[in-house]
């Protein structure tokens, strides 16, 4: 079974033998791939809407995975019970929505819980929610798919709350990465915030926060 490089990057971070949940599963390609490759024990695949869940059902039937998959309608993690899964992927959603899932689900705060998050936008909101709720980011991957860059965040709970600046939230752990995709991603952020800074300098608005972001991004790329 074929997975695009974005979902493959998520799949690569999944722990062997885990009890896996795919939030906003749509076509359920990710859990189907993991089951077909004997990577997980079972999967709960959920989505907010009936249409995407029907897509998931088709994939699960196509690959005869019915015995290892539970399909359900769920808004974020609301339809899950504590202890049911220990590995959760949320891919292809906005970073703010992923942050809301983290904020509103107390049972995620468990040292055996592994979160693999792939925000399409505003990854800084996802990182802020993680750090504010006692999670740490052990790894971040930037992957290119059809010439677009995607960030994948791997996080665990350790109960230590970390105050972070907006610059920290934008960069996350990417400053540790030496690969070309990560550098290209940070360069695109630097370009975006440099343009913002130049525009702000022409007004009488405060630009000190944006200036710090530009400085921090430039430091990462030295
Ligand atoms: C762009 S698709 C991503 C599908 C797949 N996860 C991927 O990355 O390819 C986003 C999916 O998230 C679902 N979704 C949106 N908001 C949701 C929520 N609050 N809870 C669960 N699923 C949601 C949508 O219905 C849609 O099927």
């Amino acid at each position: 079974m074929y997975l695009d490089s974005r979902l493959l990057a998520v799949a690569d971070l999944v722990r062997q033998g885990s009890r896996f949940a795919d939030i906003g599963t749509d076509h359920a390609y990710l859990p189907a791939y993991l089951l077909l490759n004997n990577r997980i024990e079972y999967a709960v695949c959920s989505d907010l809407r009936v249409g995407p869940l029907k897509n998931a059902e088709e994939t699960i039937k196509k690959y005869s995975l019915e015995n290892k998959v539970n399909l359900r309608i769920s808004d974020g993690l609301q339809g899950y019970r504590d202890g049911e899964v220990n590995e959760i992927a949320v891919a292809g959603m906005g970073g703010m929505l992923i942050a809301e899932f983290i904020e509103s689900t107390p049972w995620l705060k468990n040292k055996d819980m592994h979160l693999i998050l792939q925000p399409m936008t505003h990854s800084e909101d996802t990182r802020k929610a993680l750090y504010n709720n006692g999670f740490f980011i052990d790894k971040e991957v930037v992957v290119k798919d059809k010439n677009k860059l995607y960030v994948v965040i791997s996080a665990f709970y350790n109960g230590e709350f970390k105050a972070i600046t907006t610059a920290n939230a934008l960069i996350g752990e990417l400053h540790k990465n030496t690969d070309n995709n990560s550098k290209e991603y940070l360069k695109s952020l630097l370009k975006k915030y440099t343009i913002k800074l130049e525009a702000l300098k022409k007004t009488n608005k405060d630009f000190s926060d944006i200036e710090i972001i530009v400085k921090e991004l430039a430091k990462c790329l030295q």
Side-chain angles (χ1 to χ4, degrees):
M1 186 187 171
Y2 170 81
L3 273 192
D4 61 29
S5 31
R6 178 181 61 87
L7 285 179
L8 199 57
V10 176
D12 283 346
L13 290 166
V14 173
R15 288 175 300 177
Q16 184 66 36
S18 53
R19 293 172 281 117
F20 181 73
D22 189 25
I23 314 298
T25 194
D26 196 355
H27 35 60
Y29 293 151
L30 175 61
Y33 171 90
L34 292 167
L35 284 165
L36 289 169
N37 288 282
N38 296 315
R39 295 277 312 282
I40 53 172
E41 205 178 306
Y42 64 80
V44 183
C45 308
S46 61
D47 205 284
L48 184 63
R49 297 181 294 123
V50 175
L53 215 58
K54 285 234 176 298
N55 298 336
E57 196 175 2
E58 273 174 30
T59 304
I60 299 309
K61 275 195 183 145
K62 179 175 170 189
Y63 293 104
S64 306
L65 295 168
E66 292 94 330
N67 291 341
K68 292 200 164 183
V69 176
N70 179 281
L71 293 170
R72 68 181 69 155
I73 292 285
S74 170
D75 182 354
L77 289 145
Q78 283 178 28
Y80 286 77
R81 294 185 311 277
D82 184 3
E84 202 176 4
V85 295
N86 65 352
E87 189 93 3
I88 297 174
V90 192
M93 283 188 228
M96 189 65 200
L97 183 59
I98 299 176
E100 281 169 25
F101 297 161
I102 296 164
E103 303 276 0
S104 62
T105 317
W107 55 261
L108 291 181
K109 294 176 179 176
N110 172 334
K111 287 187 177 165
D112 185 38
M113 185 61 68
H114 184 206
L115 304 179
I116 308 168
L117 311 170
Q118 189 272 299
M120 298 299 267
T121 54
H122 298 290
S123 59
E124 69 277 17
D125 290 328
T126 301
R127 293 191 192 92
K128 267 186 196 158
L130 287 169
Y131 290 127
N132 287 338
N133 285 279
F135 292 86
F136 69 96
I137 297 173
D138 68 307
K139 191 174 180 177
E140 294 202 40
V141 176
V142 180
V143 65
K144 198 180 253 187
D145 193 36
K146 296 180 196 80
N147 227 24
K148 205 169 167 228
L149 294 168
Y150 299 92
V151 177
V152 186
I153 300 170
S154 164
F156 290 90
Y157 181 73
N158 68 356
E160 284 171 25
F161 302 88
K162 197 168 147 186
I164 54 162
T165 62
T166 305
N168 294 152
L170 277 165
I171 297 164
E173 303 301 316
L174 291 171
H175 58 97
K176 295 177 185 162
N177 294 2
T178 53
D179 63 289
N180 288 340
N181 286 342
S182 299
K183 296 275 171 223
E184 193 178 328
Y185 179 80
L186 291 171
K187 271 184 199 158
S188 71
L189 278 183
L190 178 59
K191 188 174 169 191
K192 177 177 159 185
Y193 281 91
T194 304
I195 292 170
K196 254 188 193 180
L197 180 62
E198 294 313 319
L200 273 175
K201 278 182 176 171
K202 289 184 189 136
T203 69
N204 53 9
K205 288 185 192 147
D206 178 31
F207 55 79
S208 53
D209 286 352
I210 306 292
E211 196 168 43
I212 292 169
I213 291 171
V214 168
K215 275 188 189 149
E216 290 295 321
L217 282 165
K219 218 195 296 172
C220 288
L221 288 160
Q222 272 169 8

